[in-house]
Amino acid sequence: MSMFDLSERAEKYRGQLLEFMDSHIYPAEAVYDEQMRAAGDPHFQPPILEELKAEAQRRGLWNLFHPYPEWGPGLTNLEYAPLAEIMGRSHLAPEACNCNAPDTGNMEVLTLFGTDEHKEKYLKPLLAGTIRSAFAMTEPAVASSDATNIELSMVRDGDEYVLNGRKWFASNALHPHCKVLIVMGKTDPEAAPHRQQSMMVVPIDAPGITVLRGLPVFGYQDREGHAEIDFDNVRVPVKDVLKGEGEGFAISQARLGPGRIHHCMRAIGMAERALELMCRRASSRITFGKPVAANANIQDWIAEARIDIEMIRLLTLKAAYLMDTVGNKEARTEIAAIKVAAPNIALKIVDRAIQVHGGAGVTDDFPLAMAWAHLRTLRLADGPDEVHKRTIARQELRRYRDEKAGN
Ligand SMILES: Cc1cc2nc3c(=O)[nH]c(=O)nc-3n(C[C@H](O)[C@H](O)[C@H](O)COP(=O)(O)OP(=O)(O)OC[C@H]3O[C@@H](n4cnc5c(N)ncnc54)[C@H](O)[C@@H]3O)c2cc1C
């Protein structure tokens, strides 16, 4: 089978997912807005979302992301790519199908490195969609795009570690169902740079944890919330260290590969929807005696959007194919490349779609303004563009390392 063929089971899920989007997800968007407005609380869990979750589960459109067959359908990255793209078309679909970040990454970490107790207490309810989780790595005090800087202190005291420090941007920590944090911190400041950090499973209601605030994103309070969290003498049993002391860096590498490409797949879905909205709007509005779509510059934007989407989709599929065939580590250049390309290109398309909508484009009557805000954060979340470009450039330069000047 080539990279371009969809397997039979992926084709089946694709058809079912498209049907679910039309019959349930898109019609739910207005209901969601209404329920959120009525609640007046940005972190409210609206009943419509729970209804969508039940319906997705009933249809078997649940945990499609999970690569391990004992916990989900066990799709490959290549099979999951078109499905994540479809879910990316609406901000409701990922959580409705239990395929939303950061829970997916946390579920993978607990599957790979969690104890039986972690699996029972957290992984199973996460897979059932009854609880949520957050990943707390980034810190306000240090440049966290270099994970070796992470400094929340984790000091061993008998059978426990004592945690002190400050995290921020812990997405999902304000979700009313959030029960658990995966926290990265420093257990050994004397060890080699990539062995200083560890990751621990910490209940969000552990004594000493204070969620200080939800950080706004371009003025939006996202429903799941991006929390600033204080850790004041939080005691964590040694058994809750994931994989072992000093393994934090290795786990974060394992966690971020799939998470990054999932974001890219969903970004393509957003770009497709923006192009669709752009074409509809440009065809239906008349200025100076002709449809907006009749102007050459608008057609140029539409054509460029189609070309760009096809390019990023192919690069995403290539990265997914390599992850499946040679592994996440070997695919790191392609993962880094698509992590830069997909959000930037999707942003350009959404921006042009906003322009074609005129004032309506920046309101919440269309999903474009929210999509723009979300995509803009993707140029930072899971590593800023510059750090991924650094990965690619180092890889390219390695080939020339041993060449002498003038050779
Ligand atoms: C909406 C949102 C959600 C997030 N969710 C989470 C989450 O759930 N959990 C979590 O732990 N974190 C989360 N983050 C944090 C995110 O991962 C960090 O913001 C990111 O890794 C950058 O770290 P920093 O903010 O400390 O920036 P810094 O490390 O201070 O970097 C600042 C800037 O410096 C530049 N830079 C850095 N290195 C280089 C280089 N080598 N060359 C050139 N320029 C460079 C880049 O432009 C970078 O943006 C989230 C962020 C956002 C915006």
Side-chain angles (χ1 to χ4, degrees):
M1 201 174 77
S2 89
M3 200 176 96
F4 299 103
D5 295 320
L6 212 52
S7 70
E8 211 172 294
R9 59 180 181 168
E11 190 63 69
K12 187 187 82 173
Y13 283 126
R14 187 172 167 273
Q16 290 174 348
L17 204 47
L18 284 170
E19 210 277 310
F20 181 53
M21 296 293 291
D22 286 337
S23 64
H24 287 79
I25 297 284
Y26 301 129
E29 287 177 347
V31 182
Y32 171 91
D33 288 345
E34 197 48 51
Q35 292 184 353
M36 291 306 287
R37 251 193 300 273
D41 168 7
H43 308 301
F44 175 67
Q45 182 72 355
I48 184 72
L49 200 47
E50 292 301 317
E51 288 163 28
L52 290 172
K53 282 163 66 180
E55 184 61 25
Q57 231 165 340
R58 203 181 62 71
R59 292 169 175 241
L61 297 171
W62 191 253
N63 292 335
L64 295 176
F65 77 94
H66 209 297
Y68 301 98
E70 61 273 37
W71 301 104
L75 299 177
T76 63
N77 286 295
L78 196 56
E79 289 175 313
Y80 181 59
L83 310 179
E85 179 184 324
I86 294 168
M87 287 185 256
R89 294 172 60 94
S90 170
H91 68 104
L92 293 180
E95 186 170 341
C97 298
N98 217 38
C99 288
N100 58 293
D103 291 304
T104 50
N106 293 340
M107 287 187 254
E108 282 194 55
V109 166
L110 292 173
T111 305
L112 290 172
F113 309 114
T115 60
D116 288 346
E117 190 192 339
H118 295 146
K119 288 184 178 144
E120 210 46 52
K121 209 165 159 189
Y122 300 120
L123 179 59
K124 284 189 181 167
L126 278 168
L127 285 162
T130 53
I131 68 165
R132 300 288 78 178
S133 62
F135 182 67
M137 182 163 102
T138 304
E139 299 180 2
V142 296
S144 303
S145 47
D146 176 354
T148 62
N149 286 335
I150 297 302
E151 64 183 17
L152 176 132
S153 84
M154 297 174 149
V155 177
R156 179 91 185 237
D157 180 26
D159 288 344
E160 294 176 326
Y161 284 90
V162 183
L163 277 50
N164 279 290
R166 179 73 60 95
K167 294 287 178 185
W168 73 346
F169 282 106
S171 302
N172 235 11
L174 289 145
H175 194 297
H177 300 168
C178 186
K179 290 282 181 279
V180 65
L181 308 172
I182 295 182
V183 183
M184 179 150 159
K186 196 163 271 195
T187 34
D188 184 1
E190 307 303 322
H194 295 98
R195 298 283 313 164
Q196 295 182 0
Q197 275 94 13
S198 302
M199 270 191 208
M200 299 184 187
V201 177
V202 187
I204 197 167
D205 59 0
I209 289 187
T210 313
V211 176
L212 298 167
R213 61 172 174 151
L215 298 160
V217 171
F218 296 113
Y220 289 103
Q221 274 292 342
D222 288 342
R223 188 171 49 80
E224 71 278 20
H226 309 289
E228 181 164 355
I229 305 179
D230 190 55
F231 291 74
D232 179 18
N233 287 317
V234 178
R235 302 190 81 88
V236 179
V238 171
K239 65 179 172 51
D240 290 332
V241 178
L242 287 168
K243 199 169 186 260
E245 197 183 297
E247 297 286 347
F249 204 85
I251 300 172
S252 71
Q253 295 304 304
R255 182 189 183 283
L256 289 174
R260 283 175 183 150
I261 193 166
H262 294 171
H263 277 311
C264 298
M265 295 164 180
R266 288 188 291 264
I268 296 169
M270 272 180 231
E272 274 287 5
R273 189 160 181 203
L275 173 57
E276 191 177 303
L277 290 167
M278 175 154 62
C279 291
R280 289 228 165 89
R281 186 78 173 184
S283 304
S284 67
R285 304 275 283 193
I286 312 285
T287 58
F288 309 104
K290 59 182 181 181
V292 170
N295 294 293
N297 71 312
I298 304 293
Q299 292 188 9
D300 193 58
W301 291 355
I302 290 168
E304 277 193 7
R306 172 52 60 214
I307 295 166
D308 285 345
I309 288 173
E310 296 300 322
M311 289 198 294
I312 52 173
R313 184 180 287 124
L314 278 178
L315 184 51
T316 307
L317 292 177
K318 182 182 178 192
Y321 177 77
L322 288 175
M323 288 165 81
D324 292 335
T325 50
V326 294
N328 298 352
K329 196 159 174 239
E330 288 302 312
R332 65 184 178 281
T333 307
E334 284 75 12
I335 296 173
I338 195 59
K339 175 62 178 60
V340 176
N344 277 286
I345 286 176
L347 262 175
K348 185 171 88 178
I349 295 170
V350 170
D351 184 75
R352 286 175 168 178
I354 288 174
Q355 194 68 15
V356 167
H357 279 71
V362 297
T363 68
D364 55 10
D365 286 3
F366 291 91
L368 296 166
M370 191 205 256
W372 191 92
H374 174 70
L375 286 164
R376 184 63 188 81
T377 71
L378 276 192
R379 294 191 50 208
L380 298 161
D382 285 1
D385 289 356
E386 293 71 22
V387 171
H388 297 299
K389 286 182 175 171
R390 175 176 176 270
T391 302
I392 300 166
R394 279 157 58 103
Q395 201 66 15
E396 289 291 324
L397 287 168
R398 185 160 296 156
R399 300 183 203 162
Y400 308 99
R401 198 168 43 188
D402 300 326
E403 282 184 17
K404 302 259 180 315
N407 280 0

